[in-house]
Amino acid sequence: MTMLSELGDVIDLPGGNLNFIVPFDDLLLIPYLKGNQGAKGQPNNGLLCALKRDHKTISNLAAPAPVYTDSKLAPLGSDSKILTFPHGILLDDEKSIYVAQWNSGKTYPIKLERVKA
């Protein structure tokens, strides 16, 4: 699937249903509502993808690390049940990320706190 960035650039992010883009410091955060495009035997749960502003995926939360072959991103997919259809993201002043989920068994939003190095 592809998505338009906030600058109108096309970003190729294969492997699932993308929701929207949230600018976060020098990154872009993109929640995948579900991953693995319905692959049999794989969870259909969501993930949160972090990209640099050059659109290179650097991290996936609730999913394996991104893999590039010949500068092309391999399809992304969840490998856990941590995120269930992440449907909304909120950032607070401390740069924590709150992830609201849809159809998740009435769970509360998940708070991801920023680790300070």
Side-chain angles (χ1 to χ4, degrees), residues 3-25:
M3 178 171 263
L4 290 176
S5 77
E6 75 276 13
L7 301 174
D9 299 328
V10 175
I11 306 171
D12 187 25
L13 296 167
N17 294 359
L18 312 174
N19 201 356
F20 53 85
I21 296 173
V22 176
F24 182 66
D25 287 341

Side-chain angles (χ1 to χ4, degrees), residues 25-65:
D25 287 341
D26 60 340
L27 300 174
L28 301 172
L29 299 177
I30 300 176
Y32 276 62
L33 295 176
K34 56 185 177 177
N36 299 314
Q37 295 183 332
K40 291 187 180 189
Q42 296 293 320
N44 203 20
N45 295 3
L47 60 112
L48 188 62
C49 182
L51 290 76
K52 288 185 178 181
R53 293 288 176 140
D54 66 1
H55 304 159
K56 182 166 177 105
T57 301
I58 58 166
S59 181
N60 297 312
L61 303 169

